[in-house]
Amino acid sequence: MAYDLITMGRIGVDLYPLQTGVPLPQVTSFGKFLGGSATNVAVAAARLGRHTAVITRTGDDPFGTYLHEALKGFGVDDRWVTPVPGLPTPVTFCEVFPPDDFPLYFYRQPKAPDLEIDAHELDLDAIRDARVFWVTGTGLSEEPSRTATLAALAHRAKSGTTVFDLDWRPMFWTDPDAARPFYEEALRHTTVAVGNLDEVEVATGVREPHAAARALLDAGVELAVVKQGPKGVLAVNRDGESAEVPPLPVNVLNGLGAGDAFGGSLVHGLLAGWDLEKTMRHANAAGAIVASRLECSSAMPTPDEIEAAVTAGAVK
């Protein structure tokens, strides 16, 4: 049976402080969670009842074992999660200063295993047959992951829904100009592009939301989703339909992971055939719910929780 969603990209262990408003040097206790953007999107969609899998790589170490166990616990197929001897599983720390300051510290040296995905090891038939395939900008930052990502996109050839999460992380690139040609190539093969204002500017050179959405459509996608922070989200498709949805009021505890919850719900809405506004409202609500919680993967909301937030117009 074909998967509802296959994602491809980052995985790692999130070590988040269990104390808020405390600088990292003074933190004394941490929680350990499954992390990585593409992986969290698969978890979020699985929480909504979708059949999901992730293509990624870990270290051959106890943290890698933990990630396999966590994926299985969340109902995400881990058959394409393979170890890389000699490289440690990445660890990410953050600081939690609500409502809007959550510095991230990536430990991905000497190289992250998820950047060692090789095109020759991909199950291209499964990638082609999945109802939704999701890739990220980080996967384009280094070889062999870059070639593997573009090969998967080219083989899929826009069958089904193919999502490019622009996922701009400046610490993984020398500069935006180095990234843009690879982003442009990925956009040629995708049907949906998702990104915040910084990310759409890297991809298109344009920052104004409506102009950026048009630029993404001109680059080849059928649906452009531009996240505008406090102004909510703008979605525009090739048929001229658009939806601009404000964010839900929420007491933010940790904003990290909200975008991944948004992505999982976006996939769910696209698969369900919802109209643009309903899809965006539910995705916004999913993101807001996770922003109200400390963790990311284990915080992904259920359909009932999202529906309750949409109905209430806020996260209670």
Side-chain angles (χ1 to χ4, degrees):
M1 183 177 71
Y3 291 87
D4 290 323
L5 169 67
I6 296 176
T7 68
M8 180 174 171
R10 284 203 313 277
I11 195 171
V13 177
D14 288 344
L15 293 175
Y16 284 0
L18 300 180
Q19 300 148 279
T20 62
V22 178
L24 205 54
Q26 280 75 56
V27 173
T28 58
S29 57
F30 296 85
K32 174 167 63 64
F33 308 102
L34 171 74
S37 180
T39 304
N40 278 338
V41 171
V43 171
R47 187 65 60 88
L48 298 175
R50 297 299 178 178
H51 181 39
T52 73
V54 59
I55 301 168
T56 189
R57 305 197 73 183
T58 70
D60 189 9
D61 54 24
F63 274 150
T65 301
Y66 160 72
L67 294 175
H68 278 278
E69 293 173 350
L71 285 168
K72 292 174 183 175
F74 289 126
V76 177
D77 195 321
D78 66 341
R79 70 181 61 194
W80 297 304
V81 182
T82 57
V84 181
L87 290 178
T89 298
V91 174
T92 302
F93 289 88
C94 79
E95 293 176 298
V96 181
F97 296 106
D100 58 4
D101 187 17
F102 308 100
L104 277 170
Y105 303 91
F106 291 97
Y107 290 78
R108 292 168 59 87
Q109 300 299 327
K111 186 179 184 180
D114 55 57
L115 293 174
E116 285 291 321
I117 300 171
D118 191 289
H120 298 97
E121 298 173 354
L122 295 175
D123 187 337
L124 292 174
D125 289 339
I127 288 171
R128 185 192 59 237
D129 293 343
R131 297 177 68 193
V132 180
F133 180 53
W134 179 291
V135 301
T136 74
T138 297
L140 299 172
S141 64
E142 287 192 45
E143 294 289 4
S145 173
R146 176 185 299 149
T147 294
T149 300
L150 294 175
L153 290 172
H155 183 82
R156 186 168 167 85
K158 292 191 175 183
S159 58
T161 298
T162 306
V163 184
F164 180 24
D165 175 4
L166 302 179
D167 184 42
W168 168 249
R169 303 285 181 170
M171 68 285 293
F172 301 154
W173 295 85
T174 53
D175 61 70
D177 289 338
R180 189 165 294 140
F182 301 114
Y183 274 56
E184 290 173 347
E185 176 65 15
L187 286 168
R188 289 180 51 239
H189 299 290
T190 53
T191 61
V192 180
V194 183
N196 62 30
L197 295 178
D198 291 337
E199 292 165 339
V200 297
E201 185 175 19
V202 168
T204 68
V206 180
R207 189 173 181 85
E208 194 281 321
H210 290 270
R214 287 193 297 272
L216 290 169
L217 293 173
D218 289 343
V221 306
E222 297 170 14
L223 172 63
V225 180
V226 181
K227 293 183 279 190
Q228 305 176 80
K231 292 186 177 179
V233 61
L234 168 69
V236 182
N237 68 21
R238 187 169 294 282
D239 295 331
E241 297 175 294
S242 66
E244 195 158 7
V245 177
L248 259 65
V250 57
N251 290 321
V252 175
L253 177 58
N254 184 358
L256 302 173
D260 303 331
F262 180 100
S265 183
L266 169 65
V267 168
H268 181 62
L270 292 172
L271 289 172
W274 293 345
D275 62 43
L276 270 187
E277 182 163 344
K278 180 176 180 178
T279 300
M280 293 305 118
R281 288 195 182 280
H282 281 69
N284 259 0
I289 290 167
V290 171
S292 73
R293 299 169 176 174
L294 174 64
E295 65 273 24
C296 294
S297 52
S298 55
M300 296 302 172
T302 65
D304 287 346
E305 289 174 325
I306 296 174
E307 199 61 54
V310 170
T311 301
V315 176
K316 301 297 187 181

